Each structure stands twice: as C-alpha cells, then as structure tokens.
Amino acid sequence: MSDSNTTDFTNPSTFILLGIPGLEAAYVWISIPFCIMYVMAILGNSSILFVVKREPSLHEPMFYFLCMLAVTDLVMSTSILPKMLSIFWFNSREINFSACLTQMYFIHCLSAMESGIFVAMALDRYVAICDPLRHSTILTNPMVAKIGLAVVLRSSILVLPNPFLVWRCPYYRTNIIPHTYCDHIAVVKLACADISASNYYGLSLAFFITGLDVFFIAVSYTHILRVIIGLPTKDARLKTFGTCVSHLCVILAFYIPALFSILTHRFGHNVAPHFHVLSANMYLLVPPMLNPIIYGVRTKQIRDRLHWIFPHKGT
C-alpha cells in the first residue's frame, strides 16, 4: 500500500462536510424547513431581546435569564445553519481545520451554556415561589450578572479540552466528515490514533453537565411543587404553577432531543447515518426556534408588549 494515501491527511488543512449521507438528492427540499427554523429563531429571539430592552417592567431576573437564553440560541443557530445551507444550496463542503475546531468548540460550549441557563431559571422560579419576599434581595442585578458569568466560565473551561484533544490526534485516515457540521465524535472517529481519551472525556462531559444540571432543576421543582401543593385554593395552585410552565416546556424541548441525539450517536450503531445527522441537527435547531414561541405565548408581559408594538387590526 502506498504512502500517498496515508500521508495526505496526517495534518489536514481542510475537512469536507458530507452533509446528510444518503439524502443528497433531497437537499433542496430538506433545506426549506431548516431555513424556516433559522428565520423563526432569528426573528423570535431578536424580538425577545428587543421587547425586554424596551420595556422597563421586564427588567427582572427571569427576563434577564431569558435574554441570556435568546443570545445563546442566536449564536447557536448561526454557528451551524449558514454552513449547512451552503452545503445544501451551493455544494460548499470545505471547512478549514481551525474553523472546524472552532465550530466544534462553540457548539458544545453553547449547549452547556444553555443547560446552565435553565438551572439559573429554575433557581429564579424556586426563589420567586418558595421565598417570594426575599426574591428581589436575593436575585439582585449584580447576582444575576455573577450567575451569568459563572455559566459562561463553567461551559468555556469544561469544553475547552475537547478541541485540543482532537487537535493533538497525529493522523487522520480521511478528511471527509459524514455530517453537516463539525460534531466532536464525528471528527474524532476519523483519527487512526487512540481516541479513547477524547471519546471518554466527551461522553463524561455530556453526562456530567446534563446530569448535574437536571439534578439541580429536579431539586428546585421538588421544592416548588411542595409549596404549590400546600397552597389553600385550586386557583392559587394553578396560577403559581402557570408561572413555571414555560420553563418546563423549554427544558423538555432541550433535554429530550439532546439525550436522544447523544445516546443514538454513541450507542446506536445500527441506526442509519442520515438519522444520526438529522437527529443531531434537530437537537440544535428546534430549541432556538421553540424557546421564544413558548415564552411569547405563555408569558403575559411579553405577549402584551408584542401586541402593543405590533398591533393587529380587528383584535
């Protein structure tokens, strides 16, 4: 066997993103719902940021955390959709090695940030319901800023080893990635060197961050439900629980697809490759689209402000 095929990708300068294997003929049709989701995510999250900035009554911890979530969703969508659409529309598959590692870092870092923001929002609901008289003194603006900084630092530091572990792989058997973006495990599988350290770190990181955050959210809502059950009237219980519905919906919309994608990608060896790629894309694209819709529909303050800014004739 000649060395020409084994030395070309020792230090690849570019990777080739294959897209969705087996569905190349349907790229134009597949791009339509993805493009719609991206436009809805941009418009929805931008509207949330605009409304909260313009309305002083929304300058509260819950809406500050919602703005953090909106910014994270905007960056998350933009980190993968433009390149994905360029593959579908223009067959532009090449991505620089450094750009690939950067995209990989931002995708996993932003996912960890989003999970951390859900914990912060659960803390806000816990304090608002279980200790309402001290809510304004506990979650002050400086405290909200510190929580946001802690979420960013935790995600940035914990995810940082991932691209370095990929970068230090000395040899790649090919530079073709069967994916629409630079997913960590998809890139690692191209290396011929021992990838156990990178594989185990990526898997343990996913379960550590997700497991810890889900645990804190579960503890918060256990206490919240105890307080709600103890309220004297049914109307009071429903009204109080109604303040948590939006948060619970976005949590489910994030964690269920995330866990499904992680488990099928790591252990679903008999699952079709195009199903792997589609599930991974849905996990990253559906929550940014749904989050502003859920909060816009369920949160009266945002809904009322949107109606005031964009009045509908005849309503």
Side-chain angles (χ1 to χ4, degrees):
M1 183 177 180
S2 67
D3 290 334
S4 61
N5 291 330
T6 61
T7 57
D8 289 344
F9 307 118
T10 299
N11 293 295
S13 59
T14 60
F15 281 118
I16 305 297
L17 292 170
L18 196 59
I20 306 176
L23 298 180
E24 290 84 0
Y27 275 178
V28 173
W29 296 107
I30 294 173
S31 69
I32 295 173
F34 281 128
C35 187
I36 292 173
M37 284 192 287
Y38 182 50
V39 171
M40 290 179 66
I42 295 294
L43 293 177
N45 288 290
S46 299
S47 298
I48 293 289
L49 294 172
F50 176 76
V51 168
V52 173
K53 183 179 184 298
R54 288 287 301 271
E55 181 55 54
S57 65
L58 300 181
H59 294 175
E60 299 176 358
M62 181 179 77
F63 298 106
Y64 289 145
F65 291 135
L66 182 57
C67 286
M68 295 179 196
L69 183 64
V71 171
T72 303
D73 285 339
L74 284 171
V75 181
M76 172 78 81
S77 301
T78 305
S79 66
I80 61 172
L81 247 301
K83 182 60 183 177
M84 185 192 305
L85 293 177
S86 73
I87 295 172
F88 292 160
W89 291 344
F90 310 114
N91 201 31
S92 176
R93 301 170 185 268
E94 287 192 0
I95 183 170
N96 184 272
F97 181 72
S98 299
C100 184
L101 295 185
T102 302
Q103 186 189 50
M104 178 197 306
Y105 175 74
F106 273 102
I107 288 171
H108 293 285
C109 184
L110 291 166
S111 296
M113 283 184 194
E114 188 147 346
S115 183
I117 293 169
F118 288 141
V119 176
M121 297 171 87
L123 173 64
D124 171 72
R125 291 298 84 209
Y126 167 76
V127 177
I129 293 173
C130 299
D131 199 358
L133 297 179
R134 298 180 58 203
H135 181 260
S136 59
T137 58
I138 294 175
L139 289 177
T140 60
N141 287 347
M143 178 57 67
V144 171
K146 289 177 182 177
I147 293 172
L149 181 61
V151 169
V152 172
L153 290 177
R154 182 195 72 155
S155 305
S156 303
I157 294 171
L158 289 178
V159 177
L160 191 59
N162 262 345
F164 280 104
L165 288 171
V166 174
W167 175 76
R168 65 184 284 273
C169 288
Y171 171 72
Y172 289 85
R173 64 176 177 267
T174 179
N175 67 338
I176 298 175
I177 303 173
H179 216 296
T180 55
Y181 61 86
C182 291
D183 182 61
H184 172 253
I185 192 61
V187 176
V188 166
K189 285 180 177 179
L190 303 182
C192 287
D194 182 16
I195 62 171
S196 57
S198 183
N199 201 9
Y200 288 135
Y201 184 80
L203 187 62
S204 61
L205 184 65
F207 280 103
F208 172 75
I209 291 177
T210 303
L212 198 63
D213 290 349
V214 169
F215 171 76
F216 284 126
I217 292 171
V219 170
S220 297
Y221 272 97
T222 300
H223 289 286
I224 288 171
L225 288 175
R226 288 175 58 187
V227 171
I228 290 175
I229 292 171
L231 293 175
T233 65
K234 181 180 179 181
D235 288 342
R237 289 193 291 270
L238 290 175
K239 184 178 180 180
T240 305
F241 183 73
T243 63
C244 303
V245 170
S246 298
H247 185 226
L248 289 172
C249 288
V250 296
I251 286 174
L252 293 175
F254 176 78
Y255 284 114
I256 291 176
L259 288 174
F260 180 78
S261 177
I262 292 170
L263 292 175
T264 55
H265 208 78
R266 299 279 178 170
F267 306 111
H269 303 297
N270 296 323
V271 178
H274 66 267
F275 187 79
H276 277 301
V277 177
L278 286 172
S279 64
N281 282 294
M282 297 302 287
Y283 140 62
L284 293 177
L285 298 177
V286 171
M289 177 194 68
L290 286 182
N291 291 345
I293 295 174
I294 292 171
Y295 271 98
V297 171
R298 292 291 311 176
T299 308
K300 185 177 184 298
Q301 298 98 313
I302 294 178
R303 190 170 65 247
D304 290 346
R305 186 62 181 176
L306 284 172
H307 284 170
W308 185 83
I309 297 173
F310 306 109
H312 296 278
K313 293 181 179 182
T315 61

